[in-house]
Amino acid sequence: ILEVSADLSDRQRTRMEQLPPGLRDRVVWLDRLPETPIRGVMLANEVLDALPVQRFVVQGGRPYELGVGFADTGSSADLADPAALVWREAPDELAAATAMLRELPEPLPDGYVSELCPRVEPWLLSVGQCLGHGALLLFDYGLPRAHYYHPQRTDGTLRCYFKQRAHDDPFINIGVQDITAWVDFTRVGEAALAAGLEVAGFATQAAFLLGSGIEALVAEAADTVTSARLAGEARRLLLPGEMGESFKVMAVCRNLEQPLRGFAYQDLRTSL
């Protein structure tokens, strides 16, 4: 387990203590990516949506950078003024990154706000270099680019989470809430190809788990109490109103020829 948070690492160790000794002893923690390429499977569950994003707003058919300023943006702005979103000319890096917006099926209207993640490419390149033979499975909230930047999605996907409650105001609970954004899986696929990896599958989480045999896992429960618990957990992972449709799974591989059974029921790569 690669974990940079000491607190989360401690919690993970406590949880892993519940495993049988023969399995528990095989779990090790890393504080950095391995230097020697591995042969196997790497899992990244809700990693991409935690990477920092840049926000932009479309004005006059052009993207401008959105940032944090003060409600009074004049030269005599009082530091006590409430923070607000302000926009300015996009720097060269952001202007280049948003060039893909011109390739969308429909132009974006003025006032359209969204985000992009410039960290995807370097992150995937570094992780891909650790994969000598096998697959990297990415689980996350996300959409193909044409759906992510749909003209009707006018406020983007940025969300804040505090004590199991979701909202869209980053200016409250500052420093103690999670701020996240959905994943542009088209960007992820492009980054994988640029890193010399193959995109081997893309599907909803529900289709992937069904293809992987989640029903058999529930059916093999030792007793009715365990079966009921597993069935409830499976429903949350599978139902469209829960995580089944909003979560996607992408597999990027290196030197892997055999098909992955999780994509036997559905493969949405053509939507990318």
Side-chain angles (χ1 to χ4, degrees), residues 1-2 33 40 46 59 71 89-90 93 99 114 118 134 148 151 157 171 189 205 209 214 242:
I1 300 177
L2 174 59
L33 292 168
E46 288 192 84
Q59 297 289 353
E89 195 79 23
E93 181 183 6
S114 194
Y148 192 107
T157 70
F171 297 115
Q205 178 174 277
L209 292 178
I214 192 173
E242 296 284 350

Side-chain angles (χ1 to χ4, degrees), residues 42-49 137-141 185 205 208-209 247-250:
M42 303 171 72
L43 302 177
N45 183 56
E46 288 192 84
V47 174
L48 290 172
D49 73 355
L137 295 177
L138 304 160
F139 295 77
D140 233 313
Y141 288 102
F185 273 103
Q205 178 174 277
F208 179 84
L209 292 178
F247 255 69
K248 306 295 189 302
V249 184
M250 176 176 280

Side-chain angles (χ1 to χ4, degrees), residues 26-39:
R26 296 175 61 185
V27 182
V28 296
W29 276 260
L30 308 175
D31 56 9
R32 62 178 59 88
L33 292 168
E35 296 180 2
T36 303
I38 69 168
R39 179 185 180 94

Side-chain angles (χ1 to χ4, degrees), residues 6-206:
D7 175 62
L8 290 178
S9 181
D10 289 341
R11 283 196 262 170
Q12 292 162 2
R13 284 182 167 86
T14 300
R15 182 66 178 267
M16 292 299 177
E17 285 297 320
Q18 303 172 26
L19 295 174
L23 184 57
R24 181 182 63 223
D25 295 342
R26 296 175 61 185
V27 182
V28 296
W29 276 260
L30 308 175
D31 56 9
R32 62 178 59 88
L33 292 168
E35 296 180 2
T36 303
I38 69 168
R39 179 185 180 94
V41 177
M42 303 171 72
L43 302 177
N45 183 56
E46 288 192 84
V47 174
L48 290 172
D49 73 355
L51 297 178
V53 297
Q54 288 182 283
R55 303 197 82 195
F56 62 87
V57 58
V58 175
Q59 297 289 353
R62 296 171 52 202
Y64 289 80
E65 183 180 39
L66 267 180
V68 179
F70 297 105
D72 178 5
T73 56
S75 58
S76 60
D78 186 346
L79 293 181
D81 284 347
L85 286 175
V86 297
W87 52 281
R88 66 179 183 182
E89 195 79 23
D92 293 343
E93 181 183 6
L94 180 60
T98 53
M100 50 79 182
L101 299 176
R102 295 194 291 267
E103 301 173 3
L104 295 173
E106 300 178 58
L108 300 178
D110 281 359
Y112 186 94
V113 173
S114 194
E115 59 282 320
L116 58 84
C117 182
R119 300 287 186 91
V120 167
E121 289 83 0
W123 181 84
L124 201 51
L125 178 62
S126 63
V127 175
Q129 290 173 342
C130 300
L131 186 64
H133 183 114
L136 167 64
L137 295 177
L138 304 160
F139 295 77
D140 233 313
Y141 288 102
L143 295 163
R145 179 170 294 159
H147 298 171
Y148 192 107
Y149 298 111
H150 192 281
Q152 294 181 0
R153 199 180 303 279
T154 56
D155 294 322
T157 70
L158 194 78
R159 294 295 179 269
C160 306
Y161 294 88
F162 180 69
K163 294 185 177 180
Q164 308 302 316
R165 293 180 178 272
H167 61 89
D168 58 4
D169 186 354
F171 297 115
I172 62 174
N173 306 317
I174 294 176
V176 295
Q177 66 180 358
D178 290 331
I179 302 178
T180 181
W182 284 31
V183 176
D184 171 7
F185 273 103
T186 301
R187 188 184 190 100
V188 178
E190 292 170 346
L193 295 177
L197 301 167
E198 175 191 359
V199 179
F202 178 55
T204 63
Q205 178 174 277

